[in-house]
Amino acid sequence: MNIFTTDIILFLLLISILNDPLLKMFQNLNLDFITSEILIGLILILILWLIHKLVLRKYIFKK
């Protein structure tokens, strides 16, 4: 399996797990839906980037 395929699968899992709790948290802060989803997207991309650099490249897909 390619590392980028793993990234896509991991990103979809992160969306399905973290989208609803983060959306509820941002809605409680009285942010509108579009702003909440943009912030959630940025948070998920940051998490995916950290996992890609710190875990996948070093331990799973070593060269």
Side-chain angles (χ1 to χ4, degrees):
M1 182 182 295
N2 194 349
I3 190 167
F4 299 112
T5 306
T6 308
D7 284 340
I8 293 170
I9 293 169
L10 185 61
F11 188 69
L12 292 173
L13 285 172
L14 285 173
I15 288 174
S16 66
I17 294 170
L18 296 177
N19 191 33
D20 191 43
L22 288 175
L23 183 61
K24 287 180 183 178
M25 182 184 73
F26 287 135
Q27 293 294 318
N28 288 336
L29 296 173
N30 293 328
L31 294 175
D32 61 341
F33 180 75
I34 299 297
T35 307
S36 300
E37 287 296 328
I38 290 171
L39 290 174
I40 290 169
L42 292 174
I43 291 169
L44 292 178
I45 289 172
L46 178 68
I47 291 171
L48 182 66
W49 181 75
L50 289 172
I51 291 172
H52 179 89
K53 291 292 181 187
L54 300 176
V55 176
L56 294 179
R57 287 280 183 192
K58 288 187 179 181
Y59 299 111
I60 297 174
F61 291 99
K62 293 188 260 185
K63 288 185 177 181

Tab-separated table of all heavy atoms in Angstrom:
chain	number	residue	atom	x	y	z
A	1	MET	N	0.853	-1.173	0.000
A	1	MET	CA	0.000	0.000	0.000
A	1	MET	C	0.901	1.239	0.000
A	1	MET	O	1.873	1.308	0.728
A	1	MET	CB	-0.903	-0.002	1.239
A	1	MET	CG	-1.843	1.175	1.267
A	1	MET	SD	-2.884	1.260	2.736
A	1	MET	CE	-3.872	-0.174	2.583
A	2	ASN	N	0.528	2.194	-0.805
A	2	ASN	CA	1.261	3.445	-0.916
A	2	ASN	C	1.010	4.320	0.320
A	2	ASN	O	-0.047	4.262	0.934
A	2	ASN	CB	0.789	4.165	-2.178
A	2	ASN	CG	1.679	5.292	-2.575
A	2	ASN	OD1	2.559	5.699	-1.827
A	2	ASN	ND2	1.442	5.820	-3.755
A	3	ILE	N	1.977	5.154	0.667
A	3	ILE	CA	1.832	6.011	1.851
A	3	ILE	C	0.722	7.039	1.654
A	3	ILE	O	0.023	7.404	2.592
A	3	ILE	CB	3.167	6.688	2.209
A	3	ILE	CG1	3.063	7.359	3.574
A	3	ILE	CG2	3.583	7.675	1.155
A	3	ILE	CD1	4.382	7.784	4.153
A	4	PHE	N	0.514	7.480	0.427
A	4	PHE	CA	-0.526	8.469	0.178
A	4	PHE	C	-1.923	7.850	0.227
A	4	PHE	O	-2.883	8.509	0.612
A	4	PHE	CB	-0.269	9.186	-1.140
A	4	PHE	CG	1.052	9.914	-1.135
A	4	PHE	CD1	2.093	9.495	-1.930
A	4	PHE	CD2	1.258	10.990	-0.287
A	4	PHE	CE1	3.316	10.148	-1.903
A	4	PHE	CE2	2.471	11.650	-0.244
A	4	PHE	CZ	3.503	11.231	-1.053
A	5	THR	N	-2.035	6.586	-0.125
A	5	THR	CA	-3.294	5.878	0.049
A	5	THR	C	-3.619	5.756	1.540
A	5	THR	O	-4.762	5.935	1.955
A	5	THR	CB	-3.213	4.479	-0.586
A	5	THR	OG1	-2.807	4.609	-1.939
A	5	THR	CG2	-4.547	3.772	-0.515
A	6	THR	N	-2.602	5.483	2.329
A	6	THR	CA	-2.771	5.428	3.774
A	6	THR	C	-3.200	6.788	4.318
A	6	THR	O	-4.045	6.861	5.212
A	6	THR	CB	-1.453	4.987	4.443
A	6	THR	OG1	-1.003	3.787	3.832
A	6	THR	CG2	-1.647	4.770	5.925
A	7	ASP	N	-2.627	7.865	3.773
A	7	ASP	CA	-3.019	9.210	4.198
A	7	ASP	C	-4.493	9.482	3.906
A	7	ASP	O	-5.193	10.049	4.745
A	7	ASP	CB	-2.168	10.266	3.489
A	7	ASP	CG	-0.772	10.364	4.055
A	7	ASP	OD1	-0.556	9.934	5.196
A	7	ASP	OD2	0.098	10.888	3.345
A	8	ILE	N	-4.958	9.087	2.752
A	8	ILE	CA	-6.364	9.314	2.386
A	8	ILE	C	-7.296	8.521	3.300
A	8	ILE	O	-8.289	9.055	3.796
A	8	ILE	CB	-6.602	8.958	0.901
A	8	ILE	CG1	-5.862	9.945	0.006
A	8	ILE	CG2	-8.088	8.941	0.572
A	8	ILE	CD1	-5.825	9.558	-1.446
A	9	ILE	N	-6.956	7.263	3.537
A	9	ILE	CA	-7.779	6.436	4.422
A	9	ILE	C	-7.783	7.004	5.838
A	9	ILE	O	-8.830	7.094	6.489
A	9	ILE	CB	-7.288	4.977	4.401
A	9	ILE	CG1	-7.536	4.359	3.023
A	9	ILE	CG2	-7.961	4.152	5.489
A	9	ILE	CD1	-6.857	3.030	2.819
A	10	LEU	N	-6.630	7.422	6.318
A	10	LEU	CA	-6.531	8.003	7.649
A	10	LEU	C	-7.308	9.305	7.756
A	10	LEU	O	-7.981	9.569	8.751
A	10	LEU	CB	-5.064	8.227	8.009
A	10	LEU	CG	-4.759	8.717	9.399
A	10	LEU	CD1	-5.258	7.709	10.438
A	10	LEU	CD2	-3.274	8.933	9.550
A	11	PHE	N	-7.262	10.135	6.707
A	11	PHE	CA	-8.006	11.392	6.708
A	11	PHE	C	-9.508	11.148	6.746
A	11	PHE	O	-10.234	11.820	7.486
A	11	PHE	CB	-7.628	12.227	5.486
A	11	PHE	CG	-8.193	13.610	5.512
A	11	PHE	CD1	-7.734	14.530	6.432
A	11	PHE	CD2	-9.179	13.999	4.621
A	11	PHE	CE1	-8.247	15.814	6.469
A	11	PHE	CE2	-9.692	15.276	4.654
A	11	PHE	CZ	-9.225	16.186	5.575
A	12	LEU	N	-9.983	10.168	5.996
A	12	LEU	CA	-11.409	9.841	6.030
A	12	LEU	C	-11.834	9.318	7.402
A	12	LEU	O	-12.926	9.638	7.884
A	12	LEU	CB	-11.746	8.827	4.936
A	12	LEU	CG	-11.644	9.356	3.508
A	12	LEU	CD1	-11.836	8.228	2.515
A	12	LEU	CD2	-12.627	10.475	3.274
A	13	LEU	N	-10.983	8.534	8.041
A	13	LEU	CA	-11.281	8.069	9.394
A	13	LEU	C	-11.303	9.223	10.387
A	13	LEU	O	-12.172	9.281	11.267
A	13	LEU	CB	-10.260	7.026	9.834
A	13	LEU	CG	-10.409	5.642	9.223
A	13	LEU	CD1	-9.210	4.768	9.589
A	13	LEU	CD2	-11.691	4.998	9.694
A	14	LEU	N	-10.360	10.150	10.263
A	14	LEU	CA	-10.350	11.313	11.152
A	14	LEU	C	-11.602	12.165	10.977
A	14	LEU	O	-12.168	12.652	11.953
A	14	LEU	CB	-9.103	12.163	10.895
A	14	LEU	CG	-7.779	11.633	11.431
A	14	LEU	CD1	-6.634	12.495	10.933
A	14	LEU	CD2	-7.799	11.584	12.938
A	15	ILE	N	-12.037	12.329	9.733
A	15	ILE	CA	-13.260	13.101	9.479
A	15	ILE	C	-14.453	12.423	10.130
A	15	ILE	O	-15.263	13.071	10.800
A	15	ILE	CB	-13.497	13.282	7.963
A	15	ILE	CG1	-12.494	14.266	7.388
A	15	ILE	CG2	-14.909	13.775	7.683
A	15	ILE	CD1	-12.557	14.386	5.882
A	16	SER	N	-14.563	11.110	9.946
A	16	SER	CA	-15.735	10.417	10.488
A	16	SER	C	-15.733	10.389	12.015
A	16	SER	O	-16.792	10.367	12.635
A	16	SER	CB	-15.818	8.996	9.927
A	16	SER	OG	-14.727	8.229	10.380
A	17	ILE	N	-14.561	10.404	12.629
A	17	ILE	CA	-14.496	10.330	14.087
A	17	ILE	C	-14.591	11.706	14.731
A	17	ILE	O	-15.302	11.893	15.723
A	17	ILE	CB	-13.196	9.623	14.527
A	17	ILE	CG1	-13.222	8.166	14.095
A	17	ILE	CG2	-12.984	9.729	16.021
A	17	ILE	CD1	-11.898	7.447	14.259
A	18	LEU	N	-13.883	12.694	14.182
A	18	LEU	CA	-13.742	13.976	14.865
A	18	LEU	C	-14.667	15.091	14.382
A	18	LEU	O	-14.754	16.130	15.040
A	18	LEU	CB	-12.292	14.466	14.745
A	18	LEU	CG	-11.236	13.604	15.425
A	18	LEU	CD1	-9.856	14.168	15.171
A	18	LEU	CD2	-11.508	13.503	16.903
A	19	ASN	N	-15.338	14.913	13.257
A	19	ASN	CA	-16.123	16.006	12.699
A	19	ASN	C	-17.280	16.408	13.616
A	19	ASN	O	-17.453	17.588	13.916
A	19	ASN	CB	-16.641	15.653	11.311
A	19	ASN	CG	-17.232	16.840	10.609
A	19	ASN	OD1	-16.786	17.963	10.787
A	19	ASN	ND2	-18.256	16.596	9.816
A	20	ASP	N	-18.069	15.455	14.057
A	20	ASP	CA	-19.248	15.788	14.863
A	20	ASP	C	-18.898	16.402	16.229
A	20	ASP	O	-19.470	17.435	16.586
A	20	ASP	CB	-20.132	14.554	15.029
A	20	ASP	CG	-21.482	14.900	15.610
A	20	ASP	OD1	-22.075	15.909	15.174
A	20	ASP	OD2	-21.928	14.171	16.522
A	21	PRO	N	-17.955	15.826	16.996
A	21	PRO	CA	-17.625	16.470	18.282
A	21	PRO	C	-17.034	17.873	18.119
A	21	PRO	O	-17.369	18.776	18.887
A	21	PRO	CB	-16.611	15.522	18.920
A	21	PRO	CG	-16.753	14.242	18.220
A	21	PRO	CD	-17.279	14.535	16.871
A	22	LEU	N	-16.165	18.042	17.125
A	22	LEU	CA	-15.597	19.373	16.908
A	22	LEU	C	-16.654	20.362	16.436
A	22	LEU	O	-16.646	21.528	16.837
A	22	LEU	CB	-14.449	19.306	15.908
A	22	LEU	CG	-13.153	18.674	16.391
A	22	LEU	CD1	-12.153	18.568	15.260
A	22	LEU	CD2	-12.577	19.459	17.543
A	23	LEU	N	-17.576	19.907	15.586
A	23	LEU	CA	-18.642	20.788	15.109
A	23	LEU	C	-19.525	21.238	16.269
A	23	LEU	O	-19.880	22.415	16.361
A	23	LEU	CB	-19.471	20.090	14.034
A	23	LEU	CG	-20.578	20.919	13.407
A	23	LEU	CD1	-20.001	22.148	12.716
A	23	LEU	CD2	-21.379	20.082	12.443
A	24	LYS	N	-19.872	20.311	17.153
A	24	LYS	CA	-20.677	20.685	18.324
A	24	LYS	C	-19.940	21.673	19.221
A	24	LYS	O	-20.535	22.612	19.741
A	24	LYS	CB	-21.074	19.443	19.109
A	24	LYS	CG	-22.131	18.616	18.434
A	24	LYS	CD	-22.498	17.403	19.244
A	24	LYS	CE	-23.512	16.568	18.493
A	24	LYS	NZ	-23.858	15.356	19.221
A	25	MET	N	-18.631	21.470	19.382
A	25	MET	CA	-17.852	22.380	20.210
A	25	MET	C	-17.813	23.781	19.589
A	25	MET	O	-18.007	24.775	20.282
A	25	MET	CB	-16.422	21.856	20.370
A	25	MET	CG	-15.548	22.718	21.258
A	25	MET	SD	-13.866	22.155	21.342
A	25	MET	CE	-13.272	22.630	19.725
A	26	PHE	N	-17.599	23.861	18.282
A	26	PHE	CA	-17.558	25.163	17.627
A	26	PHE	C	-18.941	25.818	17.575
A	26	PHE	O	-19.051	27.039	17.638
A	26	PHE	CB	-16.976	25.060	16.218
A	26	PHE	CG	-15.491	24.835	16.207
A	26	PHE	CD1	-14.934	23.884	15.370
A	26	PHE	CD2	-14.649	25.574	17.015
A	26	PHE	CE1	-13.567	23.686	15.343
A	26	PHE	CE2	-13.286	25.376	17.003
A	26	PHE	CZ	-12.739	24.430	16.164
A	27	GLN	N	-19.998	25.031	17.475
A	27	GLN	CA	-21.342	25.590	17.503
A	27	GLN	C	-21.663	26.152	18.888
A	27	GLN	O	-22.389	27.137	19.006
A	27	GLN	CB	-22.376	24.540	17.101
A	27	GLN	CG	-22.278	24.096	15.656
A	27	GLN	CD	-22.608	25.191	14.679
A	27	GLN	OE1	-23.551	25.939	14.881
A	27	GLN	NE2	-21.834	25.281	13.613
A	28	ASN	N	-21.126	25.529	19.929
A	28	ASN	CA	-21.315	26.066	21.276
A	28	ASN	C	-20.576	27.381	21.472
A	28	ASN	O	-20.926	28.168	22.349
A	28	ASN	CB	-20.858	25.059	22.335
A	28	ASN	CG	-21.816	23.894	22.455
A	28	ASN	OD1	-22.986	24.004	22.118
A	28	ASN	ND2	-21.297	22.780	22.927
A	29	LEU	N	-19.552	27.623	20.679
A	29	LEU	CA	-18.827	28.892	20.716
A	29	LEU	C	-19.479	29.950	19.833
A	29	LEU	O	-18.914	31.017	19.621
A	29	LEU	CB	-17.376	28.682	20.283
A	29	LEU	CG	-16.530	27.787	21.183
A	29	LEU	CD1	-15.176	27.536	20.556
A	29	LEU	CD2	-16.385	28.408	22.559
A	30	ASN	N	-20.663	29.646	19.300
A	30	ASN	CA	-21.467	30.535	18.449
A	30	ASN	C	-20.775	30.908	17.143
A	30	ASN	O	-20.897	32.029	16.659
A	30	ASN	CB	-21.864	31.809	19.206
A	30	ASN	CG	-22.824	31.496	20.325
A	30	ASN	OD1	-23.626	30.575	20.212
A	30	ASN	ND2	-22.728	32.240	21.399
A	31	LEU	N	-20.030	29.960	16.562
A	31	LEU	CA	-19.472	30.164	15.230
A	31	LEU	C	-20.460	29.622	14.205
A	31	LEU	O	-21.162	28.646	14.464
A	31	LEU	CB	-18.131	29.441	15.090
A	31	LEU	CG	-16.996	29.962	15.962
A	31	LEU	CD1	-15.776	29.073	15.792
A	31	LEU	CD2	-16.656	31.387	15.605
A	32	ASP	N	-20.508	30.243	13.034
A	32	ASP	CA	-21.429	29.732	12.020
A	32	ASP	C	-20.859	28.452	11.393
A	32	ASP	O	-19.710	28.070	11.612
A	32	ASP	CB	-21.737	30.790	10.958
A	32	ASP	CG	-20.503	31.244	10.221
A	32	ASP	OD1	-19.399	31.028	10.733
A	32	ASP	OD2	-20.660	31.814	9.128
A	33	PHE	N	-21.687	27.785	10.596
A	33	PHE	CA	-21.362	26.460	10.090
A	33	PHE	C	-20.133	26.480	9.188
A	33	PHE	O	-19.254	25.614	9.309
A	33	PHE	CB	-22.574	25.890	9.335
A	33	PHE	CG	-22.341	24.519	8.776
A	33	PHE	CD1	-22.343	23.421	9.604
A	33	PHE	CD2	-22.120	24.341	7.419
A	33	PHE	CE1	-22.126	22.162	9.097
A	33	PHE	CE2	-21.901	23.091	6.908
A	33	PHE	CZ	-21.904	21.993	7.745
A	34	ILE	N	-20.057	27.430	8.280
A	34	ILE	CA	-18.948	27.479	7.328
A	34	ILE	C	-17.624	27.704	8.056
A	34	ILE	O	-16.626	27.033	7.779
A	34	ILE	CB	-19.188	28.582	6.270
A	34	ILE	CG1	-20.464	28.310	5.472
A	34	ILE	CG2	-17.998	28.722	5.343
A	34	ILE	CD1	-20.433	27.036	4.673
A	35	THR	N	-17.599	28.623	8.993
A	35	THR	CA	-16.387	28.886	9.759
A	35	THR	C	-15.985	27.659	10.562
A	35	THR	O	-14.795	27.315	10.629
A	35	THR	CB	-16.599	30.078	10.704
A	35	THR	OG1	-17.080	31.189	9.955
A	35	THR	CG2	-15.328	30.454	11.414
A	36	SER	N	-16.956	26.985	11.137
A	36	SER	CA	-16.674	25.775	11.910
A	36	SER	C	-16.061	24.698	11.031
A	36	SER	O	-15.072	24.063	11.411
A	36	SER	CB	-17.952	25.236	12.544
A	36	SER	OG	-18.519	26.167	13.407
A	37	GLU	N	-16.615	24.486	9.863
A	37	GLU	CA	-16.104	23.445	8.976
A	37	GLU	C	-14.716	23.794	8.445
A	37	GLU	O	-13.882	22.912	8.262
A	37	GLU	CB	-17.071	23.201	7.816
A	37	GLU	CG	-18.332	22.465	8.230
A	37	GLU	CD	-18.075	21.061	8.726
A	37	GLU	OE1	-17.129	20.395	8.247
A	37	GLU	OE2	-18.832	20.613	9.603
A	38	ILE	N	-14.444	25.068	8.200
A	38	ILE	CA	-13.104	25.470	7.760
A	38	ILE	C	-12.092	25.214	8.865
A	38	ILE	O	-11.003	24.674	8.614
A	38	ILE	CB	-13.104	26.949	7.329
A	38	ILE	CG1	-13.888	27.105	6.029
A	38	ILE	CG2	-11.679	27.471	7.166
A	38	ILE	CD1	-14.129	28.534	5.622
A	39	LEU	N	-12.435	25.567	10.099
A	39	LEU	CA	-11.535	25.305	11.228
A	39	LEU	C	-11.328	23.814	11.452
A	39	LEU	O	-10.210	23.374	11.734
A	39	LEU	CB	-12.068	25.964	12.490
A	39	LEU	CG	-11.999	27.484	12.528
A	39	LEU	CD1	-12.690	28.016	13.770
A	39	LEU	CD2	-10.567	27.953	12.473
A	40	ILE	N	-12.377	23.028	11.320
A	40	ILE	CA	-12.263	21.577	11.465
A	40	ILE	C	-11.345	21.021	10.381
A	40	ILE	O	-10.494	20.174	10.652
A	40	ILE	CB	-13.650	20.908	11.435
A	40	ILE	CG1	-14.422	21.250	12.696
A	40	ILE	CG2	-13.534	19.400	11.281
A	40	ILE	CD1	-15.881	20.860	12.657
A	41	GLY	N	-11.503	21.487	9.162
A	41	GLY	CA	-10.640	21.042	8.068
A	41	GLY	C	-9.179	21.365	8.326
A	41	GLY	O	-8.302	20.527	8.099
A	42	LEU	N	-8.909	22.558	8.808
A	42	LEU	CA	-7.529	22.935	9.113
A	42	LEU	C	-6.949	22.094	10.249
A	42	LEU	O	-5.789	21.663	10.184
A	42	LEU	CB	-7.452	24.418	9.465
A	42	LEU	CG	-7.738	25.387	8.313
A	42	LEU	CD1	-7.770	26.816	8.841
A	42	LEU	CD2	-6.709	25.234	7.221
A	43	ILE	N	-7.751	21.835	11.271
A	43	ILE	CA	-7.297	20.999	12.381
A	43	ILE	C	-6.999	19.582	11.908
A	43	ILE	O	-5.970	18.991	12.259
A	43	ILE	CB	-8.338	20.998	13.521
A	43	ILE	CG1	-8.387	22.368	14.183
A	43	ILE	CG2	-8.045	19.908	14.548
A	43	ILE	CD1	-9.553	22.548	15.133
A	44	LEU	N	-7.887	19.021	11.077
A	44	LEU	CA	-7.684	17.654	10.596
A	44	LEU	C	-6.480	17.555	9.677
A	44	LEU	O	-5.740	16.566	9.721
A	44	LEU	CB	-8.946	17.154	9.887
A	44	LEU	CG	-10.155	16.928	10.785
A	44	LEU	CD1	-11.341	16.472	9.964
A	44	LEU	CD2	-9.854	15.946	11.882
A	45	ILE	N	-6.251	18.564	8.846
A	45	ILE	CA	-5.072	18.555	7.978
A	45	ILE	C	-3.800	18.646	8.816
A	45	ILE	O	-2.815	17.957	8.530
A	45	ILE	CB	-5.159	19.686	6.941
A	45	ILE	CG1	-6.238	19.345	5.907
A	45	ILE	CG2	-3.817	19.923	6.254
A	45	ILE	CD1	-6.544	20.461	4.948
A	46	LEU	N	-3.813	19.446	9.871
A	46	LEU	CA	-2.655	19.541	10.757
A	46	LEU	C	-2.390	18.208	11.456
A	46	LEU	O	-1.237	17.750	11.517
A	46	LEU	CB	-2.865	20.642	11.791
A	46	LEU	CG	-1.745	20.811	12.810
A	46	LEU	CD1	-0.492	21.333	12.134
A	46	LEU	CD2	-2.176	21.717	13.924
A	47	ILE	N	-3.429	17.553	11.947
A	47	ILE	CA	-3.273	16.250	12.595
A	47	ILE	C	-2.733	15.229	11.610
A	47	ILE	O	-1.818	14.454	11.926
A	47	ILE	CB	-4.610	15.780	13.211
A	47	ILE	CG1	-4.991	16.653	14.395
A	47	ILE	CG2	-4.531	14.316	13.639
A	47	ILE	CD1	-6.387	16.394	14.916
A	48	LEU	N	-3.287	15.220	10.391
A	48	LEU	CA	-2.823	14.274	9.373
A	48	LEU	C	-1.367	14.531	9.010
A	48	LEU	O	-0.587	13.597	8.847
A	48	LEU	CB	-3.705	14.359	8.123
A	48	LEU	CG	-3.353	13.386	7.014
A	48	LEU	CD1	-3.619	11.964	7.468
A	48	LEU	CD2	-4.123	13.708	5.774
A	49	TRP	N	-0.980	15.803	8.892
A	49	TRP	CA	0.406	16.140	8.560
A	49	TRP	C	1.353	15.659	9.661
A	49	TRP	O	2.424	15.108	9.363
A	49	TRP	CB	0.535	17.644	8.347
A	49	TRP	CG	1.909	18.072	7.984
A	49	TRP	CD1	2.529	17.928	6.781
A	49	TRP	CD2	2.856	18.695	8.857
A	49	TRP	NE1	3.790	18.432	6.862
A	49	TRP	CE2	4.028	18.911	8.116
A	49	TRP	CE3	2.810	19.091	10.183
A	49	TRP	CZ2	5.140	19.502	8.663
A	49	TRP	CZ3	3.933	19.681	10.735
A	49	TRP	CH2	5.078	19.884	9.976
A	50	LEU	N	0.958	15.856	10.922
A	50	LEU	CA	1.792	15.394	12.029
A	50	LEU	C	1.923	13.877	12.047
A	50	LEU	O	3.019	13.338	12.257
A	50	LEU	CB	1.224	15.889	13.358
A	50	LEU	CG	1.365	17.384	13.629
A	50	LEU	CD1	0.595	17.761	14.889
A	50	LEU	CD2	2.819	17.765	13.753
A	51	ILE	N	0.827	13.170	11.824
A	51	ILE	CA	0.875	11.709	11.788
A	51	ILE	C	1.731	11.244	10.619
A	51	ILE	O	2.529	10.305	10.752
A	51	ILE	CB	-0.546	11.114	11.713
A	51	ILE	CG1	-1.270	11.348	13.033
A	51	ILE	CG2	-0.508	9.625	11.391
A	51	ILE	CD1	-2.729	10.976	13.006
A	52	HIS	N	1.599	11.905	9.472
A	52	HIS	CA	2.371	11.537	8.284
A	52	HIS	C	3.868	11.697	8.541
A	52	HIS	O	4.654	10.805	8.227
A	52	HIS	CB	1.933	12.411	7.099
A	52	HIS	CG	2.673	12.123	5.846
A	52	HIS	ND1	2.256	11.173	4.955
A	52	HIS	CD2	3.802	12.656	5.324
A	52	HIS	CE1	3.097	11.128	3.944
A	52	HIS	NE2	4.053	12.032	4.151
A	53	LYS	N	4.260	12.833	9.108
A	53	LYS	CA	5.683	13.106	9.323
A	53	LYS	C	6.269	12.326	10.496
A	53	LYS	O	7.392	11.835	10.410
A	53	LYS	CB	5.909	14.607	9.569
A	53	LYS	CG	5.664	15.451	8.365
A	53	LYS	CD	6.710	15.190	7.320
A	53	LYS	CE	6.458	16.077	6.120
A	53	LYS	NZ	7.333	15.771	5.012
A	54	LEU	N	5.533	12.242	11.595
A	54	LEU	CA	6.102	11.678	12.811
A	54	LEU	C	5.911	10.170	12.961
A	54	LEU	O	6.690	9.528	13.662
A	54	LEU	CB	5.522	12.391	14.036
A	54	LEU	CG	5.781	13.897	14.097
A	54	LEU	CD1	5.076	14.496	15.300
A	54	LEU	CD2	7.263	14.192	14.133
A	55	VAL	N	4.882	9.622	12.330
A	55	VAL	CA	4.607	8.195	12.522
A	55	VAL	C	4.827	7.401	11.240
A	55	VAL	O	5.620	6.457	11.211
A	55	VAL	CB	3.171	7.974	13.053
A	55	VAL	CG1	2.846	6.497	13.157
A	55	VAL	CG2	2.992	8.657	14.390
A	56	LEU	N	4.122	7.774	10.188
A	56	LEU	CA	4.155	6.965	8.975
A	56	LEU	C	5.535	6.942	8.335
A	56	LEU	O	6.020	5.882	7.934
A	56	LEU	CB	3.117	7.475	7.973
A	56	LEU	CG	1.652	7.321	8.384
A	56	LEU	CD1	0.746	7.890	7.316
A	56	LEU	CD2	1.308	5.885	8.657
A	57	ARG	N	6.179	8.092	8.196
A	57	ARG	CA	7.489	8.148	7.549
A	57	ARG	C	8.583	7.490	8.381
A	57	ARG	O	9.506	6.902	7.834
A	57	ARG	CB	7.892	9.595	7.265
A	57	ARG	CG	7.147	10.239	6.155
A	57	ARG	CD	7.714	9.831	4.845
A	57	ARG	NE	6.992	10.545	3.781
A	57	ARG	CZ	7.115	10.222	2.529
A	57	ARG	NH1	7.903	9.255	2.155
A	57	ARG	NH2	6.429	10.877	1.627
A	58	LYS	N	8.504	7.587	9.693
A	58	LYS	CA	9.587	7.081	10.542
A	58	LYS	C	9.456	5.603	10.887
A	58	LYS	O	10.463	4.910	11.010
A	58	LYS	CB	9.665	7.893	11.832
A	58	LYS	CG	10.196	9.278	11.613
A	58	LYS	CD	10.423	9.990	12.915
A	58	LYS	CE	10.987	11.372	12.626
A	58	LYS	NZ	11.253	12.121	13.851
A	59	TYR	N	8.222	5.113	11.079
A	59	TYR	CA	8.073	3.775	11.601
A	59	TYR	C	7.444	2.779	10.624
A	59	TYR	O	7.797	1.611	10.625
A	59	TYR	CB	7.247	3.794	12.889
A	59	TYR	CG	7.894	4.621	13.977
A	59	TYR	CD1	7.332	5.817	14.392
A	59	TYR	CD2	9.080	4.214	14.552
A	59	TYR	CE1	7.932	6.574	15.378
A	59	TYR	CE2	9.696	4.970	15.534
A	59	TYR	CZ	9.120	6.146	15.939
A	59	TYR	OH	9.717	6.912	16.897
A	60	ILE	N	6.518	3.216	9.809
A	60	ILE	CA	5.778	2.272	8.989
A	60	ILE	C	6.356	2.170	7.572
A	60	ILE	O	6.593	1.099	7.064
A	60	ILE	CB	4.279	2.630	8.972
A	60	ILE	CG1	3.738	2.506	10.388
A	60	ILE	CG2	3.515	1.733	8.021
A	60	ILE	CD1	2.327	2.943	10.574
A	61	PHE	N	6.585	3.317	6.936
A	61	PHE	CA	7.094	3.333	5.572
A	61	PHE	C	8.545	3.801	5.561
A	61	PHE	O	8.886	4.819	4.994
A	61	PHE	CB	6.238	4.245	4.691
A	61	PHE	CG	4.863	3.706	4.437
A	61	PHE	CD1	3.786	4.156	5.176
A	61	PHE	CD2	4.647	2.743	3.485
A	61	PHE	CE1	2.512	3.660	4.949
A	61	PHE	CE2	3.394	2.247	3.252
A	61	PHE	CZ	2.314	2.685	3.992
A	62	LYS	N	9.427	3.021	6.187
A	62	LYS	CA	10.841	3.369	6.215
A	62	LYS	C	11.465	3.043	4.868
A	62	LYS	O	11.082	2.096	4.207
A	62	LYS	CB	11.566	2.574	7.304
A	62	LYS	CG	11.150	2.948	8.694
A	62	LYS	CD	12.053	2.253	9.678
A	62	LYS	CE	11.355	1.041	10.211
A	62	LYS	NZ	12.103	0.373	11.264
A	63	LYS	N	12.440	3.849	4.503
A	63	LYS	CA	13.137	3.574	3.227
A	63	LYS	C	14.382	2.783	3.469
A	63	LYS	O	14.999	2.761	4.445
A	63	LYS	CB	13.488	4.892	2.545
A	63	LYS	CG	12.269	5.561	1.990
A	63	LYS	CD	12.663	6.786	1.211
A	63	LYS	CE	11.429	7.404	0.596
A	63	LYS	NZ	11.721	8.558	-0.166
